[in-house]
Structures are given as C-alpha cells and as structure tokens.
Amino acid sequence: MILQRIRFLKDKFISKLMLVFTLASVSLVFVIGIGLYYRSIPILNKLSWFDLLTKSAWKPMKGLFGFYPFIMGTLWVTAIAIIIALPLSIFTSLYLVEYAHAKIKRVLIPFVNLLSGIPPVIYGVWGVLFIVPLIQEHIAPHFIEFSTGYSVLAGGIVLAVMIFPLIVSIITEVLTTIPQDLKDASLSIGATKWETIKKVIIRKATPGIIAATVLAISRAFGETIAVLMVCGNNAVVPHSVFDTGYPLPALIANNYGEMMSIPLYDSALMFAALLLFIIILLFNIISRVILARLERNLTT
C-alpha cells in the first residue's frame, strides 16, 4: 500500500514537473516579445507605429526610421521563395512516395536531406557566383534594360533552395500516413494513378501541406546571411523581381555593430526585430486558424 502511494506521488510529481517545463518553454515566446518591446520603447516614444510602418525614408543620422522598404523586401523575397519552392516540393514528395522505386528513394532522400545541412553562407556564395550572374546576363535582359543581378529574385531563388528540403521532408511524411485503402478504393472504381493523386491524396494531405508551408515561410522570414549576400541591400521598395531589396533580418545583421554611434539606432534595430517577430507570430496564428477550419471541412 505504501509503495503504491509512493508510485502515485511520483507519477503526480512528474506530471506537474512536465507541466512546469511546458509552460516555461511556451512562456519564452512572451519573454522574447516583452524583451524586444522594452528595447523598442525609445523609438516608439519618438515616432508612432504608423510613421514607422508606412514611411520609406531611412536616414538614422537625421532621426528618420521608415521600415516600409524593409517590410516589403521581406515579403517580396519570401513570396518568391514560396512560389518557387512549394510546387517543386509537392511534386518531388509525390514522386518519392507514389512513383519512385525503393532503390531510387534510397539515393534521392539522403541528397534532399543533405541540402538542409548545408550552411546558409554556402548558399549565399552559390547565389553570388551563379544566381546573380544568371539573372544579370540571361534572365533580366529579356524583361528590363539593365539589372545588376542583386535582386529580390536572387534572394527568392536562394531561399527557395534552402527551404525546399524542409517542405519535402514534411510533405513526404504526411503522404506516407495516408491509408492505402483510400488509394485502392479510388483505383478500384476506375480512377487512374494521377486522378487518385489529385482527388484523394492531395485532398487528404492538404492540411499537412499547409503546415509545411507555414513552417517554411517562418524560416524564410528569418533567414539572414544567404539573403543578405544576394539581395542588394538597398533601402527602397521593390517594384519588380529585378529590383534590389533589403529584408528585415539583413537590416539587423548589417547594422547591429554600428548602432551605438547613432542615437535611437539600437532601439530602431530592436524594433525591426520586434516587427519581424510580430509578422511571424501573426502569420502563424492566421495559418493555424485557416488550417483548423480546413481540417473541419475535410472531416465533414
């Protein structure tokens, strides 16, 4: 009886301890947000949120801190990366799960996973040596008169390659969980392999695809070194894919060492970090709401 009581108390203690650790890990989100907001108070006392978010002038020596070009640069690069990476990732995952022979899987999957282990600076160097000249000499001349190649398109292409293995790995795992009975039922009524993929597999895997996209976008928002090396880092609003851009992470990485010499610079860069944190947080919340509704619709 005493031993049973001790076991019960141990179990209760462990459950409470795990609850504490869980709450501590979740609270880190709030701690980070509060810390960034506290460091951003000086710039928020001087300039309103509206001015910071809508103004384009970035002249720290004159006290002008307009974040609109950096926000748009971040959105441009991320959107281009997702537009390029998502279709490639979906078709790659479908091939690996539905078409590829076991021997081919054993060769391709390690190579896909290898991409995720390459340091971002290597992607940046690859972008400078290959993607930037490719855009400057072969792609841009067909659309505009001149481009240096350093552009949001270059950043988007490099970033697409970086998030490609992440999306593929998640979607592949999702596709492997789809019951074989559903596929067999579709094929048994006369549907072709491709019709089964379109009508059954992709429909069933849609929530997982959205979840993979959300994680990829969250990573894309915060990528720094590789994007910094190929985007041009010019504080102007991009109007085409061949224009230079200056994403928020690149702004922080480029200027953090200089912030002490200019009043409000420290606070401005902390506000940039806070802004990036809020964008990612809001995007994840909205995506979770959409995903929950989609899952309810698919189950009804």
Side-chain angles (χ1 to χ4, degrees), residues 1-295:
M1 192 72 179
I2 296 177
L3 291 176
Q4 187 177 3
R5 179 68 176 175
I6 293 174
R7 290 175 60 190
F8 175 77
L9 291 175
K10 284 183 178 180
D11 185 67
K12 190 174 182 180
F13 171 76
I14 291 174
S15 66
K16 297 295 184 182
L17 185 63
M18 287 189 290
L19 175 62
V20 170
F21 283 131
T22 302
L23 293 176
S25 61
V26 172
S27 65
L28 284 176
V29 176
F30 299 98
V31 172
I32 293 172
I34 292 171
L36 292 175
Y37 178 78
Y38 177 77
R39 295 290 300 274
S40 304
I41 288 177
I43 192 73
L44 292 173
N45 288 336
K46 183 177 178 60
L47 299 169
S48 67
W49 279 80
F50 180 81
D51 289 336
L52 290 170
L53 298 179
T54 59
K55 301 296 184 181
S56 298
W58 181 260
K59 298 178 180 179
M61 295 296 292
K62 298 181 178 180
L64 300 177
F65 299 93
F67 285 90
Y68 184 66
F70 306 104
I71 297 172
M72 294 307 298
T74 303
L75 295 178
W76 268 88
V77 171
T78 304
I80 292 171
I82 293 299
I83 290 171
I84 295 173
L86 186 57
L88 292 174
S89 301
I90 292 175
F91 285 117
T92 300
S93 302
L94 287 171
Y95 174 76
L96 290 174
V97 175
E98 299 297 329
Y99 291 100
H101 191 273
K103 292 182 179 179
I104 298 178
K105 287 183 183 180
R106 285 196 293 269
V107 175
L108 290 181
I109 292 177
F111 273 101
V112 173
N113 294 332
L114 180 64
L115 289 174
S116 62
I118 298 176
V121 67
I122 302 299
Y123 283 109
V125 172
W126 169 72
V128 171
L129 295 179
F130 294 97
I131 302 300
V132 169
L134 178 67
I135 294 173
Q136 180 184 17
E137 299 172 9
H138 301 287
I139 299 177
H142 296 287
F143 300 94
I144 60 174
E145 188 173 333
F146 174 76
S147 173
T148 62
Y150 291 92
S151 59
V152 290
L153 177 59
I157 293 173
V158 171
L159 198 54
V161 177
M162 295 181 67
I163 63 177
F164 171 77
L166 173 64
I167 304 177
V168 169
S169 62
I170 297 175
I171 295 179
T172 301
E173 290 297 323
V174 171
L175 293 177
T176 55
T177 62
I178 296 176
Q180 185 63 38
D181 293 343
L182 289 176
K183 306 175 189 177
D184 293 339
S186 176
L187 294 171
S188 66
I189 61 175
T192 63
K193 182 78 169 179
W194 177 241
E195 288 173 338
T196 300
I197 289 174
K198 288 193 299 181
K199 302 295 184 180
V200 177
I201 296 176
I202 293 181
R203 177 178 171 83
K204 192 70 176 177
T206 298
I209 294 173
I210 293 176
T213 306
V214 171
L215 289 175
I217 291 176
S218 297
R219 179 184 174 181
F221 272 133
E223 189 53 53
T224 306
I225 298 299
V227 175
L228 180 151
M229 295 174 69
V230 298
C231 271
N233 303 327
N234 188 16
V236 295
V237 179
H239 292 97
S240 79
V241 295
F242 301 108
D243 290 341
T244 57
Y246 207 162
L248 285 167
L251 169 69
I252 299 169
N254 260 345
N255 298 284
Y256 194 80
E258 305 171 4
M259 65 183 183
M260 299 302 294
S261 61
I262 302 175
L264 294 181
Y265 215 142
D266 173 64
S267 182
L269 294 179
M270 291 303 101
F271 178 78
L274 175 65
L275 193 57
L276 188 62
F277 177 80
I278 292 173
I279 291 173
I280 295 174
L281 189 62
L282 288 177
F283 177 79
N284 277 269
I285 292 173
I286 294 171
S287 300
R288 292 297 173 185
V289 172
I290 295 173
L291 185 60
R293 291 184 178 179
L294 183 61
E295 288 177 338

